[in-house]
Amino acid sequence: MDTKKQKDFQKSSNYARSLIEASLDPLVTISADGKIMDVNEATVRVTGVPREKLIGTDFSNYFTDPEKAKDGYRQVFKDGKVQDYELEIQNVNGDLTPVSYNASVYYDENGEVAGIFAAARDISDLKQVERALSEAITPAMKVWDGILMLPLVGNVDSKRAQIVMETMLTSVKENQIKVAILDVMGVPIIDSAVAGYLVKVIKATKLMGCESIISGISPAVAQTMVNLGLDIGDVTSTSSMENALQMAFSFLELEVIHK
Amino acid sequence: MMEDLDVQLVSTTIVNKCLVVPIQVELFDDTIIQLQSEILDKIQKEDLRGVIIDLSAINVVDSFLAGKLREIGYQTVLMGVDTILTSLKPEVAASIADMEYDLGNVIMARDQDHAFQIIDSNSKKII
């Protein structure tokens, strides 16, 4: 009888284990001091570290931002769970995998917290789509030979500013741009952070030997910028796109003539 | 031995009374200092209209290089000649702006053609 019980137990244990191993999502259990207690095959694949080397090491070691990883499991112990917690797993070969963690505490037979069960989901595709989307709303267009226009619509944060910078500089290089116009008509709020980003983009553009103009400074924006004491340095700015184009033409010594 | 190598790494030429300094390698601090005095010497010896430093091969600009470029800019202007940097890679331009390095009064140009144009228009003003 005992042997049958043992067999049953063995069977159900094997079954549970095989389910865990079958999961395509990296699964991991973490102890209260942040050490890895158990992993499945998917975790081994995504980190590139063999199972026996993973177990017993710090969970936070395998991420690009260990502090954020630590904050993550501390939050689980505090609140009992976290959902959609984004981290980036670093493989030993250098590959990075953006993942979203769902994690919660689990209990032992006495009802005490035994550790954290954390499941990661690969969100590389999602990240790619997000990036493509923000690039799509940051189009750089060549409006004239040597003139580039980049209309900004929506809020600007540091990520967006980075993309604007990249888009601006690469198209300046590729299209032999002489004057770049950054239109901020569609940016609702320009605070010190946003102004800082804009000045950086303009400075970098100037470093490429390209003249640049900020256009679309509305009365409200002009007022808040002065009230906040924001200085955009010696950046040329103007209220309308029309003025900016006119400036660009005169810079290129071009003239628009009535037929 | 090392000095010979350095001289060979950054060989300057004079084109149309402009000193062209094409930098084809990542610069070591020593090389930059040597280059700096070489440029100033050339300005004194030759009758130059401008200095063009081509940075197309540079992948990283650190604070030392940025500081030296800034110094070169001020020094050449003191000697009556503008310094023009050309052909920065987009990622290098982005990092200089990000790190907020100040390049002082050096002039930035898209490419060498643009640099010559700037020098031409600046010399016209003087005459």
Side-chain angles (χ1 to χ4, degrees):
Chain A
M1 192 62 189
D2 259 4
T3 41
K4 185 174 184 314
K5 248 188 188 168
Q6 233 167 19
K7 253 187 188 165
D8 279 353
F9 177 73
Q10 189 67 39
K11 216 172 161 185
S12 73
S13 160
N14 280 347
Y15 172 68
R17 187 76 218 173
S18 69
L19 286 187
I20 290 169
E21 292 300 336
S23 165
L24 293 176
D25 290 338
L27 306 177
V28 58
T29 56
I30 311 161
S31 65
D33 55 351
K35 304 276 187 212
I36 294 176
M37 296 197 291
D38 196 4
V39 295
N40 70 346
E41 196 50 40
T43 310
V44 173
R45 263 200 307 277
V46 76
T47 55
V49 180
R51 183 185 302 253
E52 54 279 7
K53 287 205 175 148
L54 277 169
I55 292 172
T57 57
D58 279 327
F59 170 72
S60 54
N61 280 354
Y62 304 95
F63 299 91
T64 50
D65 187 351
E67 280 311 311
K68 195 181 172 195
K70 278 182 194 161
D71 287 344
Y73 68 69
R74 284 185 198 130
Q75 202 181 325
V76 182
F77 279 117
K78 196 168 140 260
D79 303 338
K81 62 169 188 184
V82 294
Q83 272 176 314
D84 304 325
Y85 195 85
E86 288 188 13
L87 286 167
E88 205 168 29
I89 298 180
Q90 187 154 30
N91 192 296
V92 280
N93 65 16
D95 286 352
L96 299 178
T97 315
V99 290
S100 166
Y101 265 102
N102 280 338
S104 53
V105 292
Y106 67 95
Y107 302 91
D108 60 14
E109 56 272 26
N110 304 321
E112 302 279 328
V113 171
I116 294 175
F117 175 76
R121 171 141 293 173
D122 184 345
I123 51 167
S124 314
D125 290 347
L126 192 69
K127 287 279 156 194
Q128 220 162 16
V129 171
E130 264 179 19
R131 195 177 167 79
L133 204 63
S134 51
E135 266 168 18
I137 53 173
T138 331
M141 25 186 193
K142 192 173 160 183
V143 284
W144 203 270
D145 186 28
I147 305 180
L148 183 86
M149 172 114 69
L150 206 149
L152 274 181
V153 179
N155 286 318
V156 179
D157 57 8
S158 64
K159 243 185 209 168
R160 182 94 190 278
Q162 194 64 40
I163 292 169
V164 170
M165 175 98 95
E166 275 171 31
T167 323
M168 182 89 140
L169 297 183
T170 43
S171 31
V172 162
K173 181 104 193 170
E174 277 168 14
N175 303 317
Q176 305 266 312
I177 297 301
K178 295 175 179 139
V179 185
I181 303 172
L182 188 63
D183 186 74
V184 295
M185 188 67 99
V187 182
I189 301 161
I190 296 196
D191 55 13
S192 53
V194 177
Y197 297 142
L198 294 180
V199 169
K200 265 184 193 169
V201 173
I202 297 288
K203 273 193 182 154
T205 316
K206 285 198 170 161
L207 286 169
M208 307 276 301
C210 176
E211 208 43 51
S212 36
I213 303 168
I214 293 187
S215 81
I217 304 272
S218 66
V221 166
Q223 277 184 16
T224 46
M225 284 179 76
V226 172
N227 288 344
L228 288 172
L230 300 179
D231 184 19
I232 53 168
D234 55 352
V235 175
T236 317
S237 65
T238 168
S239 62
S240 67
M241 184 83 87
E242 192 184 337
N243 274 342
L245 258 183
Q246 196 65 257
M247 281 173 169
F249 282 145
S250 74
F251 181 79
L252 296 175
E253 292 169 355
L254 295 172
E255 205 179 345
V256 184
I257 297 174
H258 246 293
K259 245 192 191 174
Chain B
M1 175 68 190
M2 194 58 201
E3 268 179 24
D4 290 349
L5 197 66
D6 285 348
V7 173
Q8 213 184 354
L9 287 178
V10 184
S11 59
T12 60
T13 48
I14 294 176
V15 183
N16 197 6
K17 287 171 104 180
C18 298
L19 183 70
V20 181
V21 187
I23 296 173
Q24 303 295 353
V25 285
E26 290 295 325
L27 286 175
F28 296 110
D29 291 358
D30 293 348
T31 328
I32 306 169
I33 294 167
Q34 197 194 331
L35 193 65
Q36 185 180 13
S37 48
E38 194 183 324
I39 290 172
L40 297 177
D41 282 348
K42 280 263 164 65
I43 296 175
Q44 197 192 20
K45 277 183 205 145
E46 320 276 341
D47 173 28
L48 294 179
R49 296 190 302 150
V51 176
I52 299 173
I53 304 179
D54 187 322
L55 295 174
S56 51
I58 292 285
N59 290 315
V60 180
V61 171
D62 58 8
S63 60
F64 184 80
L65 178 54
K68 279 292 166 199
L69 290 172
R70 180 161 170 260
E71 273 180 36
I72 293 174
Y74 284 119
Q75 287 159 348
T76 57
V77 168
L78 279 177
M79 297 182 75
V81 171
D82 279 334
T83 294
I84 303 185
L85 302 185
T86 75
S87 321
L88 238 72
K89 285 186 181 163
E91 56 271 28
V92 175
S95 78
I96 293 178
D98 265 340
M99 303 300 287
E100 296 182 6
Y101 293 145
D102 179 13
L103 292 180
N105 62 2
V106 295
I107 301 168
M108 306 304 303
R110 290 186 293 282
D111 44 36
Q112 290 200 12
D113 272 350
H114 185 206
F116 279 110
Q117 271 173 29
I118 294 173
I119 290 173
D120 283 346
S121 68
N122 284 1
S123 347
K124 261 183 219 152
K125 270 184 219 158
I126 297 163
I127 299 163

